[in-house]
């Protein structure tokens, strides 16, 4: 009888704390939205939509990588220029912090819509190659300078 009662208790406990796939997806979406703006969410969506149209897996948002993208935008704004400066340092830190074995990045400036930015990346061989690369995670930051010009950093890793 004690075994039966224990099994019932365990079953009830598991049913109370388990999550459905939909709940997990909603939690992941909530995690993304708590860190990102509307244009960033749209870029993430468009990149994943493009990947899936090519038969590839969708990428998972990573909040720590978002912080690296945000920091790189701040750097580019301070320089007044887009660049891949300090990429090796970003890549090395991501390797240590999130276990990234391979990192790549796309950057952009002065696009006003997510569609325009992702469209330009699709037309650029190196940017398109990053979007369809063998990655599992990503993050994008869109940051405006004091004149309202947007700077973008999209980091990918596996």
């Amino acid at each position: 009888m004690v075994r039966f009662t224990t099994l019932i208790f365990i079953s009830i406990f598991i049913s109370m704390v388990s999550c459905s796939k939909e709940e997990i997806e909603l939690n992941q979406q909530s995690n993304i939205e708590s860190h990102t703006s509307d244009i960033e969410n749209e870029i993430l969506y468009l990149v994943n939509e493009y990947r899936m149209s090519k038969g590839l897996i969708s990428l998972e948002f990573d909040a720590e990588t978002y912080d690296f993208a945000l920091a790189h935008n701040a750097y580019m704004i301070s320089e007044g220029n887009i660049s891949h400066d300090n990429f090796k340092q970003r890549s090395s830190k991501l390797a240590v912090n999130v276990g990234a074995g391979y990192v790549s990045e796309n950057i952009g400036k002065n696009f006003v819509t997510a569609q325009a930015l992702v469209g330009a990346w699709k037309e650029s061989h190196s940017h398109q190659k990053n979007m369809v690369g063998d990655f599992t995670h990503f993050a994008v930051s869109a940051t405006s300078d004091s004149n309202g010009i947007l700077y973008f950093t999209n980091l990918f890793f596996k």
Side-chain angles (χ1 to χ4, degrees):
M1 182 69 170
V2 171
R3 268 185 138 173
F4 182 70
T5 305
T6 304
L7 287 174
I8 290 176
F9 175 74
I10 290 171
S11 297
I12 292 170
F13 178 76
I14 289 172
S15 68
M16 289 173 53
V17 297
S18 66
C19 296
S20 69
K21 182 179 178 186
E22 292 80 19
E23 288 173 310
I24 291 169
E25 288 173 356
L26 285 173
N27 287 339
Q28 288 174 342
Q29 185 64 30
S30 175
N31 182 39
I32 292 169
E33 290 174 359
S34 68
H35 285 88
T36 57
S37 68
D38 288 344
I39 193 168
E40 291 165 340
N41 286 332
E42 193 169 355
I43 294 165
L44 295 170
Y45 173 81
L46 290 171
V47 169
N48 268 337
E49 181 180 62
Y50 182 65
R51 287 179 59 84
M52 290 186 293
S53 77
K54 302 293 185 189
L56 302 168
I57 64 164
S58 62
L59 301 176
E60 187 176 323
F61 173 79
D62 184 80
E64 191 161 351
T65 304
Y66 177 78
D67 293 339
F68 282 89
L70 193 61
H72 186 58
N73 278 353
Y75 169 80
M76 291 190 299
I77 289 169
S78 74
E79 296 292 312
N81 230 339
I82 59 171
S83 72
H84 293 285
D85 290 355
N86 309 311
F87 175 73
K88 287 184 180 182
Q89 291 88 339
R90 272 189 303 292
S91 181
S92 294
K93 287 179 182 178
L94 282 169
V96 171
N97 293 10
V98 299
Y102 182 69
V103 179
S104 193
E105 79 181 356
N106 286 348
I107 56 173
K109 176 183 175 185
N110 210 21
F111 290 91
V112 294
T113 68
Q115 294 89 348
L117 174 69
V118 174
W121 285 345
K122 287 179 189 177
E123 297 299 318
S124 163
H125 175 72
S126 60
H127 291 99
Q128 189 269 349
K129 185 177 172 184
N130 289 339
M131 288 196 306
V132 298
D134 184 22
F135 300 107
T136 56
H137 294 81
F138 70 156
V140 66
S141 173
T143 311
S144 60
D145 67 10
S146 60
N147 297 316
I149 295 172
L150 286 169
Y151 287 72
F152 302 90
T153 299
N154 189 183
L155 290 163
F156 303 86
F157 77 87
K158 179 176 183 177

